[in-house]
Structure formats: C-alpha cells, structure tokens
Amino acid sequence: MAAPTSAERKACWEARDQLWQCLDDNNDKIQSCQKFQRDFEAKCPAQWVKYFTKRRDFLKYKEKMQTEGFKPAEGPRVNS
C-alpha cells in the first residue's frame, strides 16, 4: 500500500475532526454521526481509522481521569 498523499492525509484529518466534533456535540452517540463516520471511513486508510478510534477513546479516558480522578473498583475485600 502506498502512503497517502498530502491531500489525502489532509482530507482524512478533516473527516476525522468533523466526526469527533459531531461526537462531542452529540454526547458520543454514533447514531447521530453516521454521515461523518462513513465519510471518515471512506477518506482514511482502515489502519488509520482503527488508530484514530483508539486514540479518541484514550483521550476521552485521560480527560475523565484528569477531571474526576481515579476511583478504584469496589470489589470483594479480602482479609489477609
């Protein structure tokens, strides 16, 4: 697979940014952003789609940890 050209990369990043903005505006409801999702998948290589999707999940998790802090899971307590 040949590397995307500068114009193809720019189109991919713009599609990604539009999708992410739509998701932010719609409380991460993908159903509301299907048009942007299809555009993103059409303009970006599949591996990039996978990477950017994981990247968004990580950034959202990181933001949550920074604002809410870490809260350990409440599991069974084991006396030692």
Side-chain angles (χ1 to χ4, degrees):
M1 175 177 128
T5 65
S6 177
E8 290 169 334
R9 288 191 306 269
K10 187 173 189 254
C12 173
W13 295 331
E14 287 174 358
R16 176 206 57 198
D17 293 345
Q18 289 176 344
L19 172 61
W20 286 13
Q21 184 63 52
C22 179
L23 290 170
D24 287 344
D25 294 345
N26 290 287
N27 203 23
D28 285 330
K29 292 184 179 140
I30 194 68
Q31 299 83 1
S32 303
C33 303
Q34 287 299 315
K35 174 190 174 292
F36 295 109
Q37 180 71 33
R38 283 190 302 273
D39 194 40
F40 173 56
E41 291 174 0
K43 291 183 177 177
C44 297
Q47 196 63 24
W48 288 25
V49 170
K50 184 177 176 181
Y51 169 79
F52 286 137
T53 301
K54 286 182 178 182
R55 179 83 177 143
R56 178 177 167 77
D57 290 344
F58 169 75
L59 292 173
K60 287 293 187 178
Y61 176 77
K62 182 179 172 184
E63 180 182 336
K64 182 178 178 183
M65 288 297 108
Q66 289 174 335
T67 57
E68 297 176 18
F70 175 74
K71 296 175 187 155
E74 294 292 327
R77 304 222 179 233
V78 178
N79 295 331
S80 44

